[in-house]
Amino acid sequence: MRISKYLAAAGACSRREAESLIERGRIKLNGSVVTTPVTFISENDEVSLDNRTIRPIESRKIWAFYKPASCITSRTDPEGRETIYDILPPSFQNIKYVGRLDYASEGLLLMTNDGALVRHLELPKYQIPRTYKVRVYGVVPEEMIQRLALGLNFEGVQYQSTHAEIGKKEGRNVWIKMILKEGKNREIRNMMTFFDLKVNRLIRDSFGPVTLGDLKPGEVKSVDIDMLDTYLKEK
């Protein structure tokens, strides 16, 4: 196996980042500085980054976690607010999350021990759909669905074409189903602000082929990694 592939599979960096790290002399193989990315390793070799041994992931795993509202998708928060790692079981302290949900948002957050998978799922070029259920307050403009489908620009940021469907009404509130393939910061909230609508609940219901199902806030369940790999190969 090439050393760059090994580092990516171990979650240390991407393959491209590995090449940069090698150029800067930060990667060692059995104590010697690696000078070329065209370096192959065997089962008993020891690879290190900045003198820290990089160990392979023994078993690739992925989980679905229902992130509750009012917690941070981060390991720590300078403001002292609750984070997802305060809610997840202690065994998840070294598990990575895929993408983010902001403090007020809730729903599906993927967790995995595979750093390469995190980067694959987050890259916009793969166009992996995320489905959201959004409750907004206000009058939904008739042209909103068409405008979202065409893409729109808000405060200098261009948002891709977004599929949206109007759902049930609850007084002055309306539920909207939205499917995104990009994931810019506060994307849905900004698009709704464009139409003078206030988001008062936002739930991510699916990420690619993985859905919330019957998960409750704070719950976590294992996902079939082979199913996800098959899905990604077909993308």
Side-chain angles (χ1 to χ4, degrees):
M1 179 187 295
R2 281 199 181 195
I3 196 166
S4 57
K5 183 176 181 180
Y6 175 90
L7 289 164
C13 58
S14 68
R15 293 193 194 185
R16 181 172 295 178
E17 289 168 340
E19 294 179 4
S20 175
L21 292 170
I22 289 169
E23 288 178 2
R24 289 179 280 164
R26 295 173 59 186
I27 304 297
K28 291 182 180 179
L29 175 62
N30 299 325
S32 299
V33 175
V34 176
T35 58
T36 172
V38 188
T39 298
F40 292 85
I41 64 171
S42 60
E43 184 178 349
N44 296 319
D45 285 333
E46 181 178 295
V47 178
S48 63
L49 165 60
D50 295 335
N51 296 316
R52 177 174 59 88
T53 300
I54 303 299
R55 304 190 186 283
I57 296 172
E58 295 182 4
S59 177
R60 298 168 60 244
K61 295 181 180 178
I62 189 165
W63 297 266
F65 169 57
Y66 191 136
K67 174 200 172 294
S70 302
C71 74
I72 298 294
T73 307
S74 178
R75 294 194 175 276
T76 59
D77 179 54
E79 298 180 30
R81 293 172 293 182
E82 188 174 45
T83 76
I84 59 171
Y85 292 98
D86 294 322
I87 299 169
L88 286 158
S91 59
F92 278 76
Q93 292 307 304
N94 293 320
I95 302 301
K96 302 172 178 65
Y97 53 82
V98 179
R100 289 177 180 269
L101 286 171
D102 64 33
Y103 181 75
S105 300
E106 61 187 284
L108 181 63
L109 193 64
L110 299 183
M111 309 288 299
T112 181
N113 62 356
D114 185 347
L117 179 60
V118 172
R119 285 180 283 276
H120 188 111
L121 291 170
E122 289 181 343
L123 282 174
K125 72 177 183 178
Y126 292 112
Q127 296 284 289
I128 298 173
R130 292 94 150 159
T131 303
Y132 297 81
K133 294 186 291 188
V134 188
R135 189 177 67 190
V136 299
Y137 177 84
V139 179
V140 178
E142 292 183 3
E143 73 277 8
M144 187 184 78
I145 301 300
Q146 184 177 1
R147 287 294 303 275
L148 287 172
L150 294 173
L152 57 85
N153 187 291
F154 178 68
E155 295 185 345
V157 179
Q158 183 65 41
Y159 295 102
Q160 288 185 358
S161 170
T162 302
H163 176 82
E165 300 174 10
I166 305 299
K168 66 179 180 179
K169 294 184 178 180
E170 296 176 349
R172 291 290 304 278
N173 293 306
V174 181
W175 282 96
I176 303 172
K177 175 183 176 181
M178 301 182 69
I179 301 176
L180 277 61
K181 295 183 179 180
E182 192 171 20
K184 285 188 169 77
N185 184 41
R186 296 182 63 83
E187 184 168 0
I188 289 176
R189 297 182 189 277
N190 289 341
M191 288 192 288
M192 294 299 98
T193 299
F194 179 89
F195 295 105
D196 295 321
L197 297 169
K198 181 179 180 181
V199 175
N200 51 38
R201 193 171 183 192
L202 195 160
I203 307 168
R204 181 153 65 198
D205 193 51
S206 71
F207 196 122
V210 185
T211 64
L212 270 181
D214 57 0
L215 274 182
K216 302 292 190 300
E219 291 182 345
V220 61
K221 68 178 180 181
S222 179
V223 173
D224 184 348
I225 190 74
D226 292 333
M227 175 274 293
L228 184 60
D229 283 343
T230 299
Y231 171 85
L232 293 174
K233 288 177 182 176
E234 294 173 351
K235 287 293 292 176

